[in-house]
């Protein structure tokens, strides 16, 4: 498993940052070669299930996730969303924390522990670097786009 953490600060209120980062279908717009399908009816909350399907030629990988913690930010209280990866190939979990900062800004902390079934731990540094790059880029794009 490859554990990594990203931190960003956005010039937006926590509720807007939360909305942008947890509108799951938008993740497919910012992650290359990936489409996201939400399998459960709205609204998003604990128990929501969605699949991020990445396709490269004949290779198809489904990253099936379930929201297991759903605490949107409220006032000065930070928000926390935890996703458990429930697929056959992609393993692990992710947490997205959103916390208010002075001056109307918001801190985002994205922590993920990701693994790929049958891929040995020797490749964790590569997986960690790729995860940081892909999810960092995705977070940046999601935060920039309303």
């Amino acid at each position: 498993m490859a554990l990594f953490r990203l931190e960003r600060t956005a010039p937006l209120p926590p509720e807007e940052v939360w909305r942008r980062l947890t509108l799951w279908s938008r993740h497919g717009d910012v992650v290359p070669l990936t489409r996201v399908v939400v399998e459960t009816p709205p609204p998003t909350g604990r128990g929501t299930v969605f699949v991020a399907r990445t396709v490269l030629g004949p290779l198809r990988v489904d990253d099936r996730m379930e929201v297991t913690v759903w605490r949107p930010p409220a006032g000065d209280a930070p928000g926390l969303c935890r996703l458990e990866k429930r697929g056959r190939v992609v393993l692990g979990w992710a947490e997205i924390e959103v916390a208010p900062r002075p001056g109307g800004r918001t801190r985002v902390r994205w922590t993920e522990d990701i693994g790929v079934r049958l891929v040995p731990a020797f490749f964790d540094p590569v997986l960690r670097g790729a995860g940081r790059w892909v999810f960092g880029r995705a977070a940046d794009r999601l935060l920039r786009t309303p």
Side-chain angles (χ1 to χ4, degrees):
M1 300 290 280
L3 179 67
F4 64 90
R5 175 179 284 163
L6 308 166
E7 290 200 22
R8 301 290 190 266
T9 302
L12 301 164
E15 295 77 14
E16 178 61 14
V17 169
W18 180 265
R19 185 191 69 76
R20 291 182 186 196
L21 293 177
T22 62
L23 187 55
W24 308 120
S25 59
R26 289 188 67 224
H27 285 242
D29 297 336
V30 299
V31 176
L33 310 172
T34 300
R35 187 174 136 231
V36 176
V37 175
V38 179
E39 296 184 339
T40 49
T44 294
R46 190 167 186 243
T48 294
V49 174
F50 59 97
V51 178
R53 174 171 288 159
T54 302
V55 178
L56 180 59
L59 180 65
R60 180 182 102 180
V61 177
D62 286 347
D63 184 3
R64 189 169 202 271
M65 292 167 266
E66 179 180 350
V67 176
T68 58
V69 175
W70 181 260
R71 285 195 320 257
D76 289 338
L80 175 65
C81 176
R82 182 177 174 95
L83 307 168
E84 296 286 339
K85 295 178 178 287
R86 306 276 196 220
R88 292 180 297 197
V89 177
V90 182
L91 312 169
W93 55 268
E95 288 184 348
I96 300 170
E97 299 172 77
V98 171
R101 287 291 174 252
R105 299 179 66 79
T106 300
R107 186 207 66 223
V108 174
R109 184 175 290 149
W110 184 315
T111 306
E112 189 147 350
D113 196 9
I114 190 169
V116 178
R117 192 175 307 280
L118 303 178
V119 172
F122 174 80
F123 290 99
D124 282 356
V126 173
L127 194 54
R128 187 176 299 113
R132 252 192 218 112
W133 182 79
V134 168
F135 293 110
R137 186 172 178 257
D140 292 342
R141 292 178 74 190
L142 290 168
L143 291 170
R144 276 196 311 264
T145 310

